[in-house]
Amino acid sequence: MLVPTHHFRDIEREPEYLQPEQCIPPPDAGPVGTMWFIRDGCGIACAIVTWFLVLYAEFVVLFVMLIPSRDYVYSVINGILFNLLAFLALASHCRAMLTDPGAVPKGNATKEFIESLQLKPGQVVYKCPKCCSIKPDRAHHCSVCKRCIRKMDHHCPWVNNCVGENNQKYFVLFTMYIALISLHALIMVGFHFLHCFEEDWTNRLRAFGVTKKETAEPKVSHQEKKQPLKVSSTECSSFSPPTTVILLILLCFEGLLFLIFTSVMFGTQVHSICTDETGIEQLKKEERRWAKKTKWMNMKAVFGHPFSLGWASPFATPDQGKADPSQYVV
């Protein structure tokens, strides 16, 4: 039988449930600028795989397609664009992985902290029994991070972190830039295949002495027949044709897979931001207890005020405002 989610909330309303005497005071805050990092084996492995796949795409795009090309303008423009998008994707990945997603101080469910909230009659607070923290409204406990996260959307192993209030912007940028470099790589592979197949067939016909208007027997001497056929492939790749085909097919498979995956994730994240409802809240169908705002206000709350180019930069930190003590009170 399904148990309503509000049943657990009712249990937390009981005063004896808090049991502040059982909570150890939270440790002193570390030095300013301490890096946030989750020590999870699966998440670390997924993050390494993510970087490896991006660097593999870099290798194929640069050394298989662009550098061997004789069209320098094409190579320079696409090289700069692809490397810029890849750099922004990896920078966004680092910010999403190494930014505190909005963790609630661990073990703050102490008598002193509860008294500091100056609760009025009828006001209640929620305590997480797993991390012994007073949970702000819309916070959920993550079993991987072992912390309660404000506005937690989900835990993503690909960034080895939760997606929450403080790092949702970087996760959205990460999915967007990965989708863009995947699309860019697929387009370049398509042009590369068309160009090289045309060059390859043209060179073969010329090697046999056949033009487009000729259909007679190849004009090749007996001495030339004994020599191996030389078809210039330096214009298409510095690798052998079989190796080039394998590398491009793998890149196509990777690009198509990640284009679909990250596009869907990007769309769901933007929808979640616009509706101001996290993924967990949608799954649990939690009752809406917060004020409804416009979609534009919700976007500015995640990406920063006002609208600027900083929205697309993983190096611009959005202003989250000061902590409000009333966030713990319901």
Side-chain angles (χ1 to χ4, degrees):
M1 182 179 68
L2 295 176
V3 180
T5 56
H6 60 77
H7 173 73
F8 300 101
R9 296 293 190 184
D10 293 338
I11 293 176
E12 292 178 348
R13 291 174 186 271
E14 299 177 8
E16 60 271 14
Y17 183 81
L18 291 177
Q19 299 177 339
E21 65 278 358
Q22 296 184 5
C23 288
I24 302 174
D28 295 334
V32 178
T34 301
M35 183 177 65
W36 171 275
F37 184 75
I38 301 300
R39 294 175 177 84
D40 175 57
C42 177
I44 294 173
C46 289
I48 293 174
V49 169
T50 301
W51 275 68
F52 171 79
L53 292 175
V54 174
L55 294 177
Y56 170 78
E58 279 274 359
F59 170 78
V60 176
V61 168
L62 291 178
F63 295 98
V64 177
M65 290 190 288
L66 296 183
I67 292 180
S69 175
R70 291 191 305 178
D71 191 341
Y72 297 108
V73 175
Y74 171 85
S75 298
V76 170
I77 293 177
N78 283 280
I80 292 175
L81 179 60
F82 187 86
N83 279 278
L84 176 62
L85 294 176
F87 171 75
L88 291 173
L90 293 179
S92 301
H93 182 270
C94 285
R95 291 302 302 271
M97 180 172 60
L98 303 178
T99 299
D100 181 351
V104 179
K106 196 172 185 178
N108 69 347
T110 60
K111 184 178 180 180
E112 294 76 12
F113 181 76
I114 295 174
E115 291 177 350
S116 69
L117 296 177
Q118 299 179 351
L119 299 177
K120 298 178 181 179
Q123 290 182 327
V124 296
V125 292
Y126 299 148
K127 171 196 169 184
C128 176
K130 297 179 181 179
C131 60
C132 206
S133 299
I134 298 298
K135 297 170 61 175
D137 195 21
R138 305 183 69 183
H140 295 85
H141 185 84
C142 175
S143 58
V144 180
C145 298
K146 296 180 174 58
R147 299 286 291 273
C148 284
I149 308 297
R150 294 192 300 271
K151 292 185 67 175
M152 175 182 170
D153 186 86
H154 69 287
H155 183 91
C156 179
W158 295 105
V159 297
N160 188 34
N161 201 1
C162 275
V163 178
E165 184 177 68
N166 294 344
N167 68 341
Q168 189 173 26
K169 170 192 172 179
Y170 309 125
F171 182 76
V172 173
L173 293 180
F174 168 66
T175 57
M176 181 183 72
Y177 287 127
I178 289 293
L180 289 176
I181 65 173
S182 298
L183 178 61
H184 190 197
L186 288 173
I187 293 174
M188 284 192 291
V189 169
F191 278 113
H192 193 76
F193 267 122
L194 292 175
H195 170 72
C196 287
F197 275 132
E198 180 182 358
E199 288 290 332
D200 183 63
W201 281 107
T202 302
N203 290 336
R204 286 182 182 276
L205 290 174
R206 288 175 179 173
F208 279 100
V210 179
T211 63
K212 294 181 179 180
K213 297 181 179 180
E214 295 175 333
T215 57
E217 289 293 326
K219 300 178 181 179
V220 184
S221 65
H222 178 72
Q223 189 69 20
E224 291 175 336
K225 288 182 179 180
K226 294 182 179 180
Q227 297 179 356
L229 179 63
K230 296 181 180 180
V231 180
S232 176
S233 61
T234 56
E235 299 175 6
C236 295
S237 174
S238 55
F239 298 90
S240 63
T243 303
T244 300
V245 171
I246 292 174
L247 292 173
L248 292 178
I249 289 177
L250 290 176
L251 180 61
C252 278
F253 179 75
E254 175 194 342
L256 185 61
L257 180 65
F258 276 91
L259 175 61
I260 296 173
F261 177 71
T262 54
S263 296
V264 171
M265 286 300 300
F266 175 78
T268 56
Q269 285 295 304
V270 172
H271 177 266
S272 175
I273 293 172
C274 291
T275 58
D276 193 19
E277 191 175 22
T278 66
I280 291 181
E281 291 166 348
Q282 293 175 10
L283 289 175
K284 291 186 174 182
K285 297 181 179 179
E286 294 185 357
E287 180 184 356
R288 193 182 187 98
R289 302 181 300 275
W290 53 93
K292 189 175 182 179
K293 297 180 290 186
T294 63
K295 296 179 180 179
W296 185 243
M297 287 298 296
N298 292 330
M299 291 290 289
K300 289 195 292 185
V302 173
F303 290 93
H305 299 264
F307 172 76
S308 65
L309 291 178
W311 281 27
S313 171
F315 303 102
T317 303
D319 183 15
Q320 299 293 342
K322 296 182 179 179
D324 182 10
S326 64
Q327 66 182 324
Y328 296 97
V329 181
V330 178

